[in-house]
């Protein structure tokens, strides 16, 4: 982990210093070698937080976009007292989890259920072919409600399978530490947890916009507003389909009636 408590102050690893874990209160030792990022490690083998993973440069760089007070905050369930250290918890209680390594569906579901108001940021560069597959598939994306929103089918062909049924937004970062020399290298791709009647929804978000929205508190309200608009559209479309099917059924039973498709009305057939 990046921080430990040293004299009750949140501190980064310094060689020779002993700290305390903010979760289990056990001793941490500073690891300050040349091969890995400086970090704290439990002095003894510990199962303090089974959700914790070793951090690399990508993970640490994302954390550094946010105030230190927001990083590695302890989240405690008020009912069960279960506790975990979240990567970032903003002042608006939005949890941001940066996921670099593979994760099981069971653990992903557990984290989403535990944190509830959260967003994933996933390193999409771990599998070399994923970005090429995504870029190729993006040519067939259907226009959505705005210029940066797309309706998408067959997502299993290009989107990592383990994230398709997430109940919270999943943001893919294909440009690990600016390694990709591509025009879109500052864009993130967010799979929304809600769908149209047929399609998944992917939004293209500039990196700085995503960071600003999560810092200033707009992210959660925008996602909620977007979800409500999609829900309303789905309701209207379902009503239209239901009414159309009802009219079609009546028409098939009684040849005196027909559907005027131009006006969207059910009319009596005139006799000549």
């Amino acid at each position: 982990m990046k921080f430990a408590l040293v004299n009750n102050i949140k501190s980064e690893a310094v060689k020779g210093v002993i700290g305390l874990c903010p979760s289990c209160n056990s001793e941490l030792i500073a690891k300050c070698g040349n091969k890995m990022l400086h970090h704290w490690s439990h002095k003894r083998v510990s199962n303090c937080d089974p959700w914790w993973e070793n951090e690399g440069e990508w993970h640490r760089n994302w954390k550094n976009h946010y105030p230190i007070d927001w990083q590695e905050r302890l989240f405690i369930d008020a009912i069960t007292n279960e506790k975990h250290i979240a990567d970032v918890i903003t002042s608006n209680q939005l949890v941001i989890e940066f996921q670099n390594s593979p994760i099981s569906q069971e653990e992903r579901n557990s984290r989403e259920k535990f944190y509830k108001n959260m967003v994933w940021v996933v390193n999409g560069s771990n599998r070399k072919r994923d970005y090429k597959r995504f870029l190729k598939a993006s040519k067939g994306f259907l226009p959505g409600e705005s210029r940066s929103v797309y309706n998408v089918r067959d997502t299993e062909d290009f989107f990592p399978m383990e994230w398709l049924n997430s109940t919270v937004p999943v943001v893919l970062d294909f440009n690990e530490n600016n390694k990709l020399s591509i025009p879109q290298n500052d864009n993130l791709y967010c799979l929304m947890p809600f769908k149209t009647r047929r399609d998944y929804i992917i939004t293209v978000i500039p990196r700085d916009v995503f960071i600003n929205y999560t810092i200033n508190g707009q992210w959660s309200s925008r996602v909620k507003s977007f979800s409500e608009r999609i829900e309303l559209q789905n309701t209207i479309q379902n009503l239209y389909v239901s009414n159309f099917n009802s009219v079609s059924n009546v028409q098939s039973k009684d040849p005196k009636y027909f559907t005027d498709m131009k006006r969207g009305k059910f009319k009596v057939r005139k006799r000549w």
Side-chain angles (χ1 to χ4, degrees):
M1 59 181 62
K2 181 181 177 182
F3 296 104
L5 296 177
V6 179
N7 296 325
N8 211 33
I9 298 174
K10 196 173 188 178
S11 307
E12 295 190 46
V14 177
K15 190 174 181 178
V17 175
I18 299 295
L20 294 179
C21 175
S23 178
C24 66
N25 208 38
S26 60
E27 282 192 353
L28 301 177
I29 56 176
K31 297 292 185 73
C32 302
N34 297 322
K35 293 183 179 180
M36 299 178 66
L37 295 173
H38 292 186
H39 65 283
W40 295 95
S41 178
H42 284 82
K43 192 172 183 178
R44 296 178 178 82
V45 177
S46 170
N47 192 31
C48 170
D49 191 341
W51 292 351
W52 197 256
E53 64 176 2
N54 293 330
E55 289 184 357
E57 188 179 357
W58 176 86
H59 206 138
R60 188 68 61 87
N61 285 345
W62 264 107
K63 276 187 180 178
N64 289 337
H65 286 298
Y66 298 89
I68 289 176
D69 287 346
W70 294 5
Q71 299 178 35
E72 295 186 7
R73 284 180 58 188
L74 191 62
F75 190 105
I76 304 176
D77 188 292
I79 298 175
T80 65
N81 285 325
E82 180 181 354
K83 55 185 177 180
H84 295 281
I85 299 175
D87 284 329
V88 168
I89 303 180
T90 71
S91 59
N92 294 285
Q93 301 307 303
L94 171 68
V95 172
I96 309 174
E97 285 281 86
F98 306 110
Q99 192 63 31
N100 182 57
S101 58
I103 184 173
S104 68
Q105 184 172 338
E106 181 181 6
E107 181 177 329
R108 192 209 72 206
N109 289 337
S110 295
R111 291 204 211 181
E112 292 173 2
K113 185 177 180 180
F114 181 74
Y115 290 127
K116 297 181 179 64
N117 181 31
M118 71 169 293
V119 56
W120 292 101
V121 179
V122 178
N123 188 353
S125 303
N126 282 331
R127 291 180 287 215
K128 294 182 178 179
R129 295 196 304 166
D130 277 5
Y131 180 71
K132 292 181 179 179
R133 290 170 57 220
F134 187 91
L135 196 61
K136 181 178 180 180
S138 67
K139 298 176 182 178
F141 288 180
L142 304 173
E145 69 161 26
S146 65
R147 190 169 54 182
S148 60
V149 176
Y150 298 91
N151 296 339
V152 183
R153 299 175 188 176
D154 302 322
T155 45
E156 61 275 6
D157 292 340
F158 62 89
F159 205 93
M161 285 289 293
E162 60 267 31
W163 298 104
L164 284 181
N165 297 314
S166 176
T167 59
V168 300
V170 177
V171 176
L172 278 184
D173 176 14
F174 285 112
N175 193 24
E176 181 184 2
N177 305 323
N178 297 316
K179 289 181 180 178
L180 297 177
S181 55
I182 52 176
Q184 303 94 332
N185 64 2
D186 209 31
N187 284 338
L188 305 171
Y189 302 88
C190 180
L191 179 68
M192 289 299 179
F194 42 84
K195 300 166 63 176
T196 67
R197 290 184 68 249
R198 295 182 178 180
D199 305 324
Y200 286 92
I201 299 173
I202 287 179
T203 61
V204 181
I205 309 171
R207 187 181 307 268
D208 59 340
V209 171
F210 172 78
I211 293 168
N212 288 337
Y213 281 172
T214 53
I215 288 176
N216 63 27
Q218 292 188 53
W219 175 260
S220 296
S221 60
R222 284 178 172 270
V223 170
K224 181 181 179 182
S225 176
F226 190 14
S227 172
E228 290 172 348
R229 293 200 305 273
I230 296 300
E231 184 178 358
L232 178 59
Q233 291 174 16
N234 289 343
T235 300
I236 293 172
Q237 290 175 6
N238 287 335
L239 286 172
Y240 177 82
V241 170
S242 177
N243 290 337
F244 179 79
N245 289 337
S246 298
V247 168
S248 297
N249 289 336
V250 173
Q251 181 180 335
S252 63
K253 295 177 183 178
D254 192 341
K256 293 188 297 182
Y257 298 93
F258 74 101
T259 306
D260 187 338
M261 296 302 293
K262 289 185 178 180
R263 294 180 173 82
K265 295 182 178 180
F266 186 44
K267 300 180 70 174
V268 177
R269 193 184 303 277
K270 293 182 180 180
R271 294 188 176 185
W272 295 95

